[in-house]
Amino acid sequence: MATLPLAGLPLTGLKVVELGHYIAGPFATRLLADLGAEVIKVEPPEGDPHRGWGSQVNGHAVWFSIHGRNKLCVTADLKSAEGKARVRALLARADALVENYRPGYLERIGLGPEALHALNPKLVIARVSGFGQDGPYRDKPAFGAIGEAMGGLRHLTATPGVTDHPPPRCGVSISDDIAGIYAALATVSACWAIKADPAARGRIIDVDLVSSVFSLMEGMLPEYGLFGRIRQPHGAALPTAAPTNTYPCADGKWLCIGGNSDLIYKRLMAAIGRPDLAEDPRLRDNIGRCANAAEIDAAIAAWTRTLPAAEAEAAMEAAEVPVSRLYDMRDCAEDPHFRARQTVMEVEDPLLGTKLLHPAAPFRFDGVSPPEMVRWTAPAVGAHDDHVFNGLLGGKA
């Protein structure tokens, strides 16, 4: 896989520098890189700490193969004059910087927005942190779990009525990922504004983990403001739509069913042999079904318990009811739809010395196949030092 831009990707030509570690900032730049941007990831000489996370092959983290793909990896010691000079040289030619250090760190080492805009007035600076660049919690440390907890999500993942076990996290670093998506979107938006107005200056973007999670809380804030109502955990159900839940099957597996539109609800009830519940005046619209969700869920569960999950799933599909078994990673990796769309694809990783499965970028563009978007997997620490500092910069750093 060559370290060359791919024609046909929308961000080809956009120059981005990443001063990030762990997840949120690098996740944002991974999206930008997948979209074709030239992303130069600046790491300390020992590398991003995330290179040591998870399972490893030949001493290299498997996860990092995805996390660092399509990026040019260079090294710079931000504590040294030489390292800071390297970064300044990179930022002088860049369109955007994405960083996720704690607020104030870049200012302390002379790389804050004021200094960078004096160097490059059009530079877009996206800053990702735990609590944001201002406010009373600005200087508190945070990881993704704190974003879930304070943003309101972890409260909702509790099992209703269970108080002796902590509410579980969703299983991935969702706070970091959401913040990364928002940072990528905001970066592209700010760069677009500069393209539209040649006189525009670079903007400073402030994204934080807590606000990113909080933004997902749907109508819960106005409901509280108007009615003093605090949404409580509902397990696998939703208080605003019914029926939508996860139901036990005869083989011990679980089936997720969404039958919460009026027409789909009728088809669902017919498929499980309960047309009486479709005709019940109490249950003809979503408001009535939400008020009587327990009764509906009990009827669906009574039916799913009589069948293996695959058989129940097939019956729901025949009735055109949204349905899926709860997939584990084997199910995802082997599913024919994932494979046909190349959502799961085999990629050669020279650093690991083997082929491995990569998830495709979550967006498609006509004329570019998902495998083509992975120009290269994550390189070694400093793999592109010579290419970047002597090639792209002409030895000026």
Side-chain angles (χ1 to χ4, degrees):
M1 299 177 189
T3 56
L4 297 173
L6 177 66
L9 288 177
L11 296 188
T12 298
L14 186 72
K15 299 177 177 63
V16 180
V17 173
E18 175 201 310
L19 292 178
H21 54 181
Y22 293 112
I23 301 176
F27 188 85
T29 54
R30 180 192 125 191
L31 296 176
L32 298 174
D34 283 347
L35 287 164
E38 173 200 276
V39 173
I40 298 177
K41 177 178 177 63
V42 180
E43 301 179 74
E46 66 275 14
D48 187 327
H50 197 256
R51 287 181 179 270
W53 281 29
S55 303
Q56 300 197 359
V57 174
N58 297 329
H60 301 290
V62 173
W63 181 4
F64 203 82
S65 177
I66 303 167
H67 204 48
R69 74 184 183 192
N70 296 329
K71 299 179 184 180
L72 300 171
C73 290
V74 302
T75 57
D77 182 358
L78 297 184
K79 298 176 183 177
S80 72
E82 179 186 7
K84 284 182 275 194
R86 281 187 161 190
V87 170
R88 280 192 285 267
L90 291 173
L91 293 172
R93 69 181 286 278
D95 298 299
L97 163 67
V98 177
E99 66 96 359
N100 68 331
Y101 289 104
R102 286 177 67 173
Y105 175 71
L106 290 186
E107 286 84 348
R108 289 196 298 274
I109 63 172
L111 295 174
E114 185 176 347
L116 296 182
H117 279 153
L119 175 71
N120 180 353
K122 293 187 178 298
L123 183 69
V124 170
I125 303 173
R127 316 194 74 175
V128 187
S129 61
F131 299 95
Q133 299 297 316
D134 55 20
Y137 301 158
R138 170 186 186 269
D139 296 321
K140 293 174 62 173
F143 278 122
I146 307 305
E148 284 185 52
M150 191 172 168
L153 181 61
R154 195 72 71 87
H155 167 73
L156 297 175
T157 62
T159 301
V162 175
T163 59
D164 57 345
H165 293 290
R169 66 188 303 164
C170 71
V172 295
S173 302
I174 192 72
S175 301
D176 296 277
D177 296 342
I178 296 167
I181 293 168
Y182 287 164
L185 174 61
T187 298
V188 171
S189 300
C191 289
W192 170 256
I194 291 174
K195 181 178 180 181
D197 179 7
R201 290 178 59 87
R203 305 291 293 273
I204 301 171
I205 298 162
D206 184 357
V207 176
D208 69 89
L209 304 185
V210 174
S211 296
S212 295
V213 173
F214 185 61
S215 73
L216 305 180
M217 294 298 105
E218 300 180 342
M220 285 178 262
L221 181 60
E223 287 172 359
Y224 172 74
L226 287 173
F227 313 116
R229 185 181 303 152
I230 300 174
R231 185 181 295 185
Q232 298 301 319
H234 281 73
L238 277 176
T240 55
T244 176
N245 211 324
T246 305
Y247 304 93
C249 296
D251 55 359
K253 297 183 178 180
W254 295 86
L255 199 66
C256 183
I257 296 175
N260 43 289
S261 82
D262 295 346
L263 292 176
I264 293 175
Y265 174 69
K266 290 180 179 180
R267 297 200 298 266
L268 170 58
M269 291 301 103
I272 69 170
R274 293 298 306 270
D276 57 304
L277 293 179
E279 297 304 320
D280 189 325
R282 298 173 304 139
L283 310 176
R284 285 180 179 169
D285 60 27
N286 186 61
I287 293 175
R289 291 194 294 273
C290 287
N292 297 279
E295 179 183 351
I296 300 170
D297 283 339
I300 299 171
W303 176 78
T304 58
R305 284 192 178 97
T306 67
L307 298 169
E311 190 173 332
E313 183 178 40
M316 291 291 98
E317 288 178 343
E320 295 189 59
V321 174
V323 64
S324 177
R325 288 166 288 123
L326 299 192
Y327 274 30
D328 60 22
M329 194 45 59
R330 178 186 289 114
D331 296 317
C332 294
E334 298 178 359
D335 186 276
H337 185 76
F338 279 65
R339 290 291 183 151
R341 281 181 54 80
Q342 297 181 296
T343 303
V344 173
M345 55 190 176
E346 282 196 350
V347 173
E348 187 74 42
D349 188 314
L351 200 61
L352 300 181
T354 186
K355 286 185 177 181
L356 74 160
L357 299 180
H358 264 230
F363 21 70
R364 304 293 173 91
F365 298 93
D366 56 311
V368 183
S369 70
E372 285 179 311
M373 293 180 73
V374 182
R375 280 91 71 204
W376 62 92
T377 54
V381 179
H384 296 110
D385 280 355
D386 183 65
H387 171 70
V388 170
F389 296 124
N390 294 321
L392 297 181
L393 296 182
K396 296 177 182 179

